[in-house]
Structures are given as structure tokens and as C-alpha cells.
Amino acid sequence: MYDPSDPRSRMAASAAAPKAAAPQAFAGADYGLFYEIAPQVVGDGAKTWLTRGQNFLVAQSEVDAGGSLQRSGQADEYVLLLPDRDTPALIEANGERVDVDGFSLVILPPGDSGITLPKGGRATRIFSTGSDDLNALCSNAESYAEPHPNVALLEPWPDPIGGFRIRAYSLDVPPTPGRFGRIFRCTTLMVNYLDPQHGPRDITKLSPHHHDDFEQGSLALDGAFTHHLRWPWTTNLNVWRDDEHALVQSPSLTVIPPPAIHTSRGMEPGLNQLVDIFSPPRVDFAKQGWVLNADEYPMPSHLAD
């Protein structure tokens, strides 16, 4: 359910899509409140907090001037967010070196890589859950000791055109009528750096909706958000869940499970900045032409039609 001014209101559901069987079990939402807990990793001039979903995880870092974030033998691509304009970075991966301005999204290739922040600042890395060492560090690792119900497992999309390398994109992308957010994708992730919201969200234009078989990661970088969640009723009262209206500050990650109905409301008088994360990439968003780097990352052929 979307307000007519929301670009998502124009996405038509496929009439030919088969109806999924009604869920018989539900998972709750997971919350990584990075502002309340101790970091899981401290070293190399950085503090890092980690929380996961079924197919993705977020590593949120505060980095001292000259501090670095290193990965060795990374199995697949990952995403770096530099949300502040005055936070440049030096990115090194597999013999390649790239200087990146602040307020950028960077896709790093598999293998060995390092991120150095000469001025320090905050940095967000988003990974798939294909790395057991990172999964084990997550604040909610026990929540995923068994796979959550209703979530389709990750099948990576095709390799990028021209092969794996460092790919940097400015987030300084002005809003365009009919386009939703600022969406980028790689082989395992889709990241929507939503247009900034200044002041509380209009409560007459919320967007309650649900996803059948994928989680949504809602990463709050600035401000505060109330995440409203409601689970469907089934014939089995034992699996019913109470509604949640979770107020979270920044930085934090909320993992919203399918098929919970959800909408998020910015609360602060200043900047409320949210980033949505999906793994694997969303087919419906890709088909809308909203992905800003789609020319570099092909869709699977069986999904492109």
C-alpha cells in the first residue's frame, strides 16, 4: 500500500506469478542497536559493530584518522558506504589503488582488500553472509543458528561486465521524478541510499507493505526511526505475534522478516537518513530501471524477461 506520490505505487504485480503457500511460522525482527552495545571488533584504529540478516550483514565502523579496515580472502563482493562528504578513503584491492571522495558508495571485489580513512570518520561495510568469520562476530549470531522461515537463500547474480574491480559511485545523485531512491547493486546485494528526509515523516503518507520471501535491512545512519511491523494471522494461534512499533536511534540496523507488513517513520526534526539493504538484489526494482549501475551488473537471464 503506497501513497500515489510514491514511485513504488506504479509497480504492477505480475498476474502470472504463482501464489506462495501461506507461511506456517514467523521470525521476529532483529535489531542491532550499535549505539547501545560494545563493538565486536577493535583494532587498526577502528571500532566495528556487526549485525546480520539471513543473507547479508552490516559492519558499522568508527575509524580514527589513518585507521584502516582490512579483509583477507573475501569470498565475494562487498559494499562500502562513506556517508559524510569530509571522509575520503584510500581503497586497495588485489593490487589496485583508488582514492575515493566522501559521500560515496564503493563496491569492492573478492580477495584481499583494505580501506584507509586518512581523516577518520564513519564507514559502513555491507557483506553477504558467505563469510563464516564475520557471521560469528555478529551481535545476533545466535538468532540465525537455524535459517529463518520464509527467506529464500542467496543465489548470486552474474559477474559484472569487465570483471571484478573497485567500483566507486558518488551518492550526490539528485532526485528524479519517478525514480525511487539511489539504488546500486552488485552480485549479492542491492543497496538503496534513500533520498534524505528532513523532519518527521508525514503520517498521512506512510507505505505499509510486505515481502513474500526476502528480508529488508533498514540501516539508520542519521536521526531516529519508528519501525512499525505487523505479522499476519494464521489458523494456528500459537504462531501469532504482537505488533511492534520499535523506536531506534542511529546508527542501527533493523532486519525486517517476511512476510511482516512494515513501514518506517523518520522522527527527528533534522536529518533522518535510512539505507535499505536486500540480498539477493530485488528483481522488481531492477525491472523498473531504478538501479544506477545496472549497465555494469546484468540480471540473471531467466529473470530479465
Side-chain angles (χ1 to χ4, degrees):
M1 183 185 302
Y2 300 106
D3 183 82
S5 63
D6 190 316
R8 292 172 293 178
S9 66
R10 292 188 287 277
M11 290 193 302
S14 172
K19 285 190 173 294
Q24 299 302 310
F26 304 104
D30 275 76
Y31 300 95
L33 307 181
F34 304 137
Y35 53 88
E36 283 190 353
I37 61 176
Q40 283 77 45
V41 180
V42 178
D44 294 328
K47 298 176 182 177
T48 299
W49 293 257
L50 299 98
T51 296
R52 66 168 291 181
Q54 186 73 65
N55 296 328
F56 64 88
L57 65 86
V58 167
Q60 180 70 29
S61 297
E62 295 178 0
V63 185
D64 298 333
S68 66
L69 304 166
Q70 303 291 325
R71 281 297 290 163
S72 297
Q74 173 63 24
D76 49 18
E77 290 182 301
Y78 67 98
V79 170
L80 167 69
L81 295 178
L82 299 170
D84 301 309
R85 295 183 185 277
D86 196 33
T87 308
L90 170 63
I91 314 294
E92 301 177 87
N94 303 329
E96 185 181 10
R97 291 168 57 94
V98 177
D99 289 304
V100 176
D101 293 332
F103 203 51
S104 293
L105 180 149
V106 185
I107 298 173
L108 284 81
D112 298 341
S113 58
I115 301 160
T116 302
L117 272 58
K119 296 183 179 181
R122 55 181 181 161
T124 305
R125 289 170 295 163
I126 306 169
F127 298 88
S128 80
T129 49
S131 299
D132 290 340
D133 63 323
L134 296 178
N135 297 343
L137 293 170
C138 290
S139 61
N140 63 334
E142 290 188 2
S143 177
Y144 288 89
E146 297 292 335
H148 281 198
N150 311 315
V151 182
L153 295 181
L154 169 63
E155 293 185 11
W157 284 24
D159 292 355
I161 295 171
F164 295 107
R165 60 178 175 83
I166 299 170
R167 300 170 187 268
Y169 309 95
S170 172
L171 291 170
D172 206 359
V173 179
T176 298
R179 192 192 73 229
F180 181 57
R182 289 166 282 184
I183 302 176
F184 300 86
R185 74 170 183 254
C186 66
T187 53
T188 56
L189 300 162
M190 177 176 279
V191 177
N192 187 359
Y193 202 97
L194 292 162
D195 295 327
Q197 177 191 329
H198 296 279
R201 185 174 182 180
D202 184 347
I203 62 172
T204 69
K205 295 183 178 180
L206 300 180
S207 55
H209 63 283
H210 79 282
H211 310 301
D212 287 334
D213 63 356
F214 59 86
E215 294 174 320
Q216 176 173 315
S218 286
L219 171 66
L221 289 178
D222 297 284
F225 292 85
T226 297
H227 297 299
H228 301 281
L229 297 99
R230 170 169 289 181
W231 283 261
W233 289 355
T234 73
T235 56
N236 183 359
L237 181 62
N238 293 307
V239 301
W240 290 15
R241 300 184 66 93
D242 292 337
D243 292 354
E244 292 185 16
H245 305 277
L247 175 63
V248 302
Q249 307 293 325
S250 301
S252 63
L253 175 70
T254 300
V255 182
I256 299 169
I261 299 169
H262 59 279
T263 190
S264 298
R265 181 161 58 103
M267 305 295 292
E268 294 293 320
L271 174 63
N272 297 284
Q273 182 63 63
L274 199 64
V275 178
D276 284 345
I277 302 164
F278 305 99
S279 179
R282 287 183 61 162
V283 176
D284 55 353
F285 280 11
K287 287 185 173 181
Q288 292 296 313
W290 293 339
V291 179
L292 296 171
N293 65 338
D295 58 333
E296 299 180 72
Y297 282 91
M299 292 179 62
S301 57
H302 70 283
L303 297 176
D305 296 333

